[in-house]
Structures are given as C-alpha cells and as structure tokens.
Amino acid sequence: MLLTILVHEGPYNHQASDTAYNFIKAALGKGHEINRIFFYHDGVNNGYNSADPPQDDRNIYKRWSELGKGGIDIVCCIAAAKRRGLKDELLMEGIRISGLGQLADAVLGSDRLVTFG
Amino acid sequence: MLHTVNKSPFGHSALDECISMAADGATILLIEDGVYAAKAGASYEGKLKAAMGNVKVAALGPDLAARGITACIEGVTVVDYDGFVELVAENKMTAWV
Amino acid sequence: MDDMKKIMFLMRQAPHGGIYSYEGLETILIFAAFEQDLSMVFVGDGVFALVKGQDTTGIGIKGYIKTYGVLEDYGVEHMYVDKASMEARGLTTDDFAVPVEVVDAATISALMEEQHAVIPY
C-alpha cells in the first residue's frame, strides 16, 4: 500500500514526530511504501540541520535524514518554512523544501493519508 | 474508517468530537496522550464504554507502557506499531489532532 | 472529471490562538488547483473561525475571514458546520460570515466515510 505521511508538529515539543517515525518504520517493515513525508505547520522544524540534541537522547533530525537519504521523499512546506526561518542551507540532507502542491499531489496519488499532529 | 486520537480526554475535546462522529463499526485508536482515555477506573470509563457499543477502541501499547498504564478498560484492544499499520491498511484514516 | 477524488478538510481549531486554521486555509486554496471534490467541515472550536465581525487589528495578526468568502469560487462545494458544536458555542448561522450547511454528527460521519482523504487542521 502507498502511504503519504503528514506531520503537523515540530520535533521534541510534541510526540508526533516520534510516532510518525515509529509508524513509518513498522510500515516499511511490513512492505508498504511511503509516497512522501510532508512537514507542515511547525512540522517543518523537523528539517533543520543546525539543531544539536543531547547525545543521550534520540536525534529526530538525523532519523528523518537517514530515511530521506534512503530514498523516501521528504518535503517541508515552503510557506510554513519561510515563516519559521527554514531555508535550503539549513536543511538536513535528504530533506527538501517545496510547495503545498506536493502534499496535494501525494495525497491524491496515495492509498492512504496518515496524519500526525 | 480508522480514527486516531492523540490528546487526553481530560484536557481536550478531541475524543468527544471523534466519538460523536465515528460511524458504527469504525475503530478509534488511542495514541500518545490519547491513551489516558483507556485507563481503567478513571472518569472517562463510562463514556468510552458507551462508545464501545458502536465502535471498536484500540490503544497503542508502547504509549500505554510509557505512561505507566497497566490496566485498560475492558474491551480495549492493545496494539503495537505493526497493529497500527494493519489498521491503516484496512481503513482510511482521520486524525483528530 | 471522472477521476475526481473527495477530500475533506476537518477544521477543529479556533482562529488566531494558533496558526492551524489559517495554514489549513492555505492548503485548501492549493488543493483547489487540482480540481477535486473538496469540502470543509467545521467541528468544535473550528466553528469560531467563521464568525463574522472579527477585527484583528488590535492583536496585530492578519485576519482571514474574508478568504472563506472566495472558497466557493475556488471550487469548494460544501462548507458544513456541526450543529452540536455551533449550538454549544451559542452561535447560529446568522453569526457566520459565509453561508454554511448546518448538519448533524451522523451526516458528517457518513460524509467522512465517502472521502479519499480527510485532512485535519
């Protein structure tokens, strides 16, 4: 099954990023495909490369980056990113900035939209 | 339809709204702080049991464990992330974020 | 169009206190370009977004109540309001800035089941 993942909240402040990640790992493990991960609202804060979380905790940014480098398309909404100071030079590798059309396109082309917020 | 609720019913209206709009036979999956609704002996138990006359209720086990909830309301199914994925594969999803 | 998909936007957040309903509106305007069967349903505090007479000058936040008025031109066919949510907040359709369809929870429930996707804001 082809899934689109929508994340509405930023990392650490809410559990949404963690739940989304755990869900995606399980979905991939069961043979499902991720069409696109789309970060919206404060969700775009998941894309920053400048954060430095404590070593003894999970690194949410790196986890996303690894999924992106592994071939999953990960998009931060450009309008939401601009509001929050996120730009290309501040993006983790494997994550890109693009428009809301990328969400529409993904939702329409997927079997399921799975939202975390 | 699969409905997910990630907010505690004690501070948010999300679960109330979800229950009012979940069709007969739908599944409500409690995740994150939503799992507090599944705690046995709490004041939401009556409402959840009433809802369970029409809908199925599940709770995400890792979220229950993380919050020290060991006793769930009778009839609540506990699932892991694989179970969450299976519910999504079987149903379209509405998230009451 | 034969392959039109039904997309419902579930609006549950009040305006101004958070950005969700505003950014949700931005999403709908983009989805409109894809010529799908779009609807919005206002539930809970989401109904407050539609209240007329909102004046945000004093809080320094850009108001967007007027945008709801153009949604029909963008192809948003239906704007539903949950009857119980509206009544619980002391509102009637006269309080809204745009025409809406007031429906009960069972109707919304049935509509939800028809959707390709429900996007919450």
Side-chain angles (χ1 to χ4, degrees):
Chain A
M1 193 160 274
L2 192 57
L3 310 173
T4 289
I5 309 294
L6 175 60
V7 179
H8 277 342
E9 296 290 356
Y12 301 103
N13 211 33
H14 291 265
Q15 198 187 339
S17 298
D18 296 285
T19 308
Y21 180 79
N22 290 326
F23 175 88
I24 289 164
K25 293 296 274 187
L28 292 172
K30 292 176 85 65
H32 298 293
E33 285 179 68
I34 308 297
N35 189 0
R36 182 167 292 144
I37 301 171
F38 195 87
F39 292 132
Y40 198 43
H41 303 305
D42 277 0
V44 298
N45 292 334
N46 282 283
Y48 274 101
N49 66 12
S50 54
D52 187 16
Q55 294 290 321
D56 62 351
D57 195 2
R58 75 238 189 262
N59 188 320
I60 293 176
Y61 312 95
K62 273 192 183 160
R63 291 195 311 206
W64 292 126
S65 181
E66 276 153 26
L67 285 179
K69 286 188 280 185
I72 294 178
D73 189 24
I74 308 182
V75 175
C76 292
C77 167
I78 189 165
K82 279 187 170 182
R83 281 198 182 95
R84 292 159 179 88
L86 181 64
K87 45 191 172 181
D88 284 335
E89 53 267 42
L90 293 173
L91 269 182
M92 284 298 276
E93 192 186 346
I95 300 177
R96 65 191 180 98
I97 293 176
S98 190
L100 275 165
Q102 297 285 297
L103 173 63
D105 174 69
V107 168
L108 296 171
S110 298
D111 300 304
R112 298 281 186 273
L113 169 67
V114 188
T115 305
F116 298 93
Chain B
M1 179 75 76
L2 170 68
H3 299 271
T4 58
V5 175
N6 72 335
K7 306 287 192 298
S8 167
F10 303 110
H12 295 266
S13 58
L15 183 55
D16 287 333
E17 289 164 13
C18 171
I19 287 171
S20 79
M21 282 164 202
D24 286 356
T27 299
I28 298 175
L29 173 64
L30 305 169
I31 66 171
E32 300 172 2
D33 286 348
V35 300
Y36 287 117
K39 187 184 177 300
S43 62
Y44 208 84
E45 183 162 350
K47 271 192 186 174
L48 199 74
K49 278 188 167 164
M52 284 159 66
N54 305 312
V55 300
K56 290 167 273 190
V57 177
L60 195 57
D63 279 326
L64 289 166
R67 288 160 178 81
I69 301 170
T70 50
C72 273
I73 293 166
E74 199 185 331
V76 173
T77 310
V78 178
V79 300
D80 57 11
Y81 288 104
D82 280 354
F84 187 174
V85 171
E86 281 164 25
L87 286 168
V88 168
E90 290 160 8
N91 307 275
K92 301 272 188 188
M93 173 181 155
T94 297
W96 295 77
V97 291
Chain C
M1 202 188 285
D2 292 339
D3 57 350
M4 275 198 9
K5 291 194 165 85
K6 291 188 179 209
I7 308 288
M8 174 182 277
F9 296 88
L10 175 59
M11 313 302 286
R12 295 183 46 249
Q13 309 285 338
H16 318 312
I19 200 169
Y20 300 99
S21 75
Y22 179 71
E23 286 190 330
L25 206 48
E26 290 189 330
T27 312
I28 294 159
L29 296 174
I30 298 295
F31 266 75
F34 287 74
E35 297 185 350
Q36 304 295 314
D37 185 346
L38 306 181
S39 63
M40 298 174 81
V41 54
F42 295 81
V43 174
D45 282 349
V47 301
F48 285 132
L50 296 172
V51 170
K52 64 185 175 190
Q54 294 178 43
D55 176 5
T56 59
T57 50
I59 59 172
I61 294 177
K62 192 174 90 174
Y64 51 94
I65 184 69
K66 286 195 176 80
T67 310
Y68 293 101
V70 305
L71 290 176
E72 197 178 350
D73 297 336
Y74 274 79
V76 178
E77 295 287 329
H78 297 283
M79 291 177 67
Y80 301 105
V81 165
D82 172 47
K83 189 168 187 285
S85 300
M86 178 184 81
E87 290 176 354
R89 286 159 182 79
L91 299 170
T92 70
T93 51
D94 292 340
D95 296 306
F96 297 138
V98 289
V100 297
E101 297 166 62
V102 177
V103 291
D104 62 13
T107 303
I108 295 171
S109 171
L111 288 167
M112 276 182 171
E113 296 289 328
E114 298 173 357
Q115 304 300 314
H116 172 68
V118 179
I119 308 183
Y121 287 110

